[in-house]
Amino acid sequence: MRKLPPIMVACLALAAAAACGSDSGGDTGSGSAPAASGAPSAAGGDKPLAGEKIEIAAKWTGDEQANFEKVLKAFEEKTGATVTYASTGEDTGAYLGPRIEGGNPPDVAILPQPGLVQQYADENALKPLSPEVQAQIDQNYTPYWKDLGSAKGQVYGVLVKAAHKSLIWYRQGAFDDAGAQPASTWDDLIKNAQTLSDSGVAPFALCAASGWTLTDLFENVYLSSAGPENYDKLAKHEIPWTDPSVKTALEKMAQIFGKKEFMLGGSSGALQTDFPTCVTQVYGQKKAAMVIEADFVAASVGQSGAKVGEDAKIMPFPKAGDTAPVVLGGDVGVAMKDTKGAMALLEFLASKEGGEVWAKQPGYLSPNRNVSPDNYPDDLTKQLAQTIISAGESVRYDMSDLAPSAFGGTDGKGEWKDLQDFLRNPSDVKGAQEKLEADAAKAFKK
């Protein structure tokens, strides 16, 4: 799991971000009085969950917490339930572990990666989702997302919030000066890079000291060039990293890595630049033209003094093959108590109605295909939401977050280090593949 600086996590606004607060909700136990379902499909009285107390735990603080609490307020008004929010902080496992061991977990938890669904299911800490929740998933999500929230033949989780990782941010002034246009294909992107370089500006500021940014780049190139089916196989290590499809993706990445003038500071500079410093280099220092990263770049754009939609614009990640890539990160809702209140809340969060309430708040993207982009408060978010809907069955979850953390989520090890080494020596594609395969094989055996 990638480790973002705390301010970035608190400020994933899709417009220029202001300084964020840090207050969090209280930690109150939940009741479990029986009640009828209060989610959109429920029948019964006007307030079917009157008297029901529900606790939900998630990592969000500050603005993100405040926005989520508006969604919870809408659920309370609809059902009569009382919902208490508890912030887990950045280490969700460290918060939930003792509560699970003590027999006092929250009714509902929002997990920052699907791997935790598998982990907690193995520990028998999760409750299978009710038929009503699953009906909302079937109605509003592609089958891929249902599978992602399942373990041991049971459905435990629903993706409730997304981060869009298939973006390239560019500085409009640099493009205007060079006469460059946003690229729709990988070949166009490489031509643009040459045009920008010839104009005297470094095309890319790479945040390669943060290894997860390189996994995001690989995932987009691979999904586009190899297709969703191979993406799924590689994510599960059902095909090896020595497969020809991986070679194709790495060779495309080498078209950037192999030209020092394409990267601010060359490969050495890129490997010494972390996230979000690379964003500052593009928009604050104006030393480069593009940064390849997710929607949360917007927060650092604002801190650099630029305006999203004016100085800072986005292009969808260019096609490197037959598939227009859309890679998402995101947060998965699970039930840790089998109460009607817990299931009703998850049903609401999985519904079109709940998604539309949340979509009206800044800093949110819904993976729900039935939440119209018209609900979002700004043009950028509308654009991002439309790309998710348009990608349909091809949308995929961040591959490194699906892998064992020893391979896909550890600084200085596994995929992070192997791709950093490949950036140092992009001519050795075969060697990079062999190292990736050796590290993946070791991690997936555990």
Side-chain angles (χ1 to χ4, degrees), residues 289-424:
M290 292 181 280
V291 62
I292 304 170
E293 249 316 314
D295 53 23
F296 47 71
V297 164
S300 289
V301 167
Q303 291 158 15
S304 295
K307 288 188 176 181
V308 173
E310 295 181 16
D311 313 294
K313 294 188 177 180
I314 60 168
M315 65 179 87
F317 195 96
K319 289 176 65 175
D322 294 333
T323 302
V326 176
V327 177
L328 302 182
D331 303 282
V332 182
V334 296
M336 292 192 153
K337 290 183 179 177
D338 190 11
T339 65
K340 290 186 177 180
M343 294 301 170
L345 178 54
L346 284 168
E347 188 180 348
F348 182 73
L349 294 177
S351 71
K352 178 176 181 287
E353 178 184 358
E356 288 178 344
V357 173
W358 208 344
K360 290 178 173 62
Q361 311 307 318
Y364 173 76
L365 267 177
S366 177
N368 186 321
R369 62 186 172 189
N370 290 319
V371 174
S372 169
D374 293 339
N375 290 282
Y376 294 97
D378 59 82
D379 290 339
L380 173 63
T381 321
K382 286 182 171 72
Q383 180 183 348
L384 297 178
Q386 187 58 57
T387 65
I388 295 174
I389 293 171
S390 298
E393 301 283 345
S394 297
V395 179
R396 288 298 182 268
Y397 197 89
D398 182 306
M399 186 189 296
S400 63
D401 276 355
L402 297 175
S405 61
F407 179 66
T410 303
D411 191 17
K413 295 182 179 179
E415 189 182 0
W416 291 24
K417 183 179 186 300
D418 296 340
L419 291 178
Q420 287 171 327
D421 289 343
F422 179 57
L423 174 54
R424 290 186 182 94

Side-chain angles (χ1 to χ4, degrees), residues 221-250:
V221 174
Y222 189 79
L223 177 56
S224 185
S225 60
E229 184 176 342
N230 279 328
Y231 186 98
D232 293 343
K233 290 178 180 177
L234 187 63
K236 299 173 184 176
H237 200 224
E238 292 175 353
I239 58 176
W241 285 78
T242 50
D243 190 82
S245 62
V246 177
K247 178 183 178 183
T248 297
L250 292 178

Side-chain angles (χ1 to χ4, degrees), residues 71-106:
V71 181
L72 300 179
K73 182 68 173 176
F75 173 78
E76 289 178 323
E77 291 175 351
K78 180 181 179 67
T79 65
T82 298
V83 184
T84 301
Y85 177 83
S87 177
T88 67
E90 277 307 290
D91 196 337
T92 302
Y95 176 89
L96 291 176
R99 294 197 59 182
I100 293 170
E101 291 174 7
N104 182 38

